[in-house]
Amino acid sequence: MSVPDITPTLLSEGKGKPVLLAGAGLGTGAKALWIDTVPHLQDFQVVGVDLPGHGASPASTEPFTMAELAQGVVAMLDKLATAGDIDAQAKVYFAGVSMAGELALQLGLDYPDRFAGLGVVCSGAKIGEPSGWLERAETVRNAGTPTMVVGSAQRWFAPGFIEKHSERTTRLLHTLQNADRFAYAHCCEALAGFDVRERLGEITTPVIAIAGGLDEVCPPEFAKAVATGVRQGSSAVVDSAAHQAPAEAPEETAALLRDFFLAA
């Protein structure tokens, strides 16, 4: 096991403002997923966080756990502050979708003093079953990420969204197709080992859990369970979205995050 390198992507200017790390889930990229949401997050300096082998982040060379991924994110944050790319004294928030939503919970467990608020978007304290993730890891390792495109398109978006917003869906699916297959497999293995349902009560950082009303991967019940389980939690549902709320309903998703984080 090893700590993966995470390469940030500056999605908006605003040094001196609170920093919002915007994380993307398995098969997607931070810029592709969050770019339509960023204009509605003007109170923050938004920095995209890609999983290993996705978007701007280099491929992992060894398997990693979610805790090691969280360690990589904090190391990235320290480098940004040292380089002067963000204000070292600024409050920092993290909002992540799907696997990056689980990452938000891991950050809350391991680094409670580093984040002023956490957003768990289209995610949960456990997603799927270990056997399913390990099977997917083996499939992608052998056959590549393009094998996931059709199934992901069916799971990710609400009915009719692909036809109405072809540009948004195309850039997300291109990120999936271009993701490193071995790093994707490592992500699947990290997902297989993640289950913090019994540890939610340890998280003291304020958490908002946002579900897509049409999400079959992480239905609204997942968000409610997270919000109820943590010490300071709130939940909300974006009725029109499935599994990629920042791309499907950017203004509504941004408003929920902005209002919660600024209040927190």
Side-chain angles (χ1 to χ4, degrees):
M1 295 292 181
S2 64
V3 177
D5 290 329
I6 305 297
T7 300
T9 300
L10 185 63
L11 298 180
S12 71
E13 299 292 341
K15 185 178 174 182
K17 294 181 180 179
V19 176
L20 173 57
L21 302 183
L26 182 66
T28 69
K31 185 174 182 179
L33 177 60
W34 287 93
I35 196 65
D36 295 296
T37 312
V38 169
H40 307 290
L41 293 167
Q42 296 178 353
D43 299 288
F44 304 89
Q45 182 182 13
V46 185
V47 178
V49 177
D50 288 308
L51 294 173
H54 295 62
S57 290
S60 49
T61 57
E62 297 179 44
F64 55 85
T65 63
M66 199 72 74
E68 289 169 327
L69 182 58
Q71 190 176 342
V73 170
V74 170
M76 177 208 76
L77 184 61
D78 289 339
K79 289 178 183 178
L80 285 170
T82 301
D85 295 321
I86 63 173
D87 185 347
Q89 305 304 316
K91 288 185 176 180
V92 180
Y93 302 86
F94 185 97
V97 175
S98 194
M99 180 175 178
E102 292 189 327
L103 175 57
L105 294 174
Q106 189 71 57
L107 289 167
L109 288 167
D110 295 346
Y111 303 95
D113 298 329
R114 297 299 300 270
F115 297 91
L118 301 167
V120 178
V121 185
C122 303
S123 188
K126 174 181 181 289
I127 302 175
E129 296 300 328
S131 59
W133 289 120
L134 295 176
E135 181 179 342
R136 187 189 295 196
E138 192 64 20
T139 297
V140 172
R141 188 178 281 113
N142 292 327
T145 54
T147 58
M148 295 291 110
V149 169
V150 173
S152 295
Q154 295 170 344
R155 293 188 297 270
W156 283 357
F157 306 113
F161 183 83
I162 293 176
E163 293 75 17
K164 293 179 182 177
H165 301 282
S166 59
E167 181 183 353
R168 296 184 203 175
T169 55
T170 297
R171 67 181 183 234
L172 279 169
L173 293 171
H174 276 174
T175 306
L176 169 59
Q177 191 166 351
N178 294 332
D180 180 85
R181 60 176 173 166
F182 299 106
Y184 185 105
H186 293 157
C187 289
C188 289
E189 290 163 351
L191 282 161
F194 187 83
D195 182 356
V196 296
R197 289 175 295 177
E198 301 303 318
R199 297 189 63 195
L200 290 174
E202 299 175 32
I203 298 176
T204 57
T205 307
V207 175
I208 181 168
I210 301 172
L214 303 173
D215 192 350
E216 296 182 358
V217 179
C218 296
E221 289 75 17
F222 283 27
K224 294 176 184 175
V226 168
T228 302
V230 299
R231 297 191 193 182
Q232 300 182 71
S234 176
S235 66
V237 177
V238 178
D239 291 330
S240 63
H243 195 56
Q244 304 293 345
E248 296 175 275
E251 188 170 0
E252 185 176 355
T253 302
L256 289 168
L257 292 171
R258 183 183 65 244
D259 292 349
F260 182 82
F261 287 158
L262 294 180

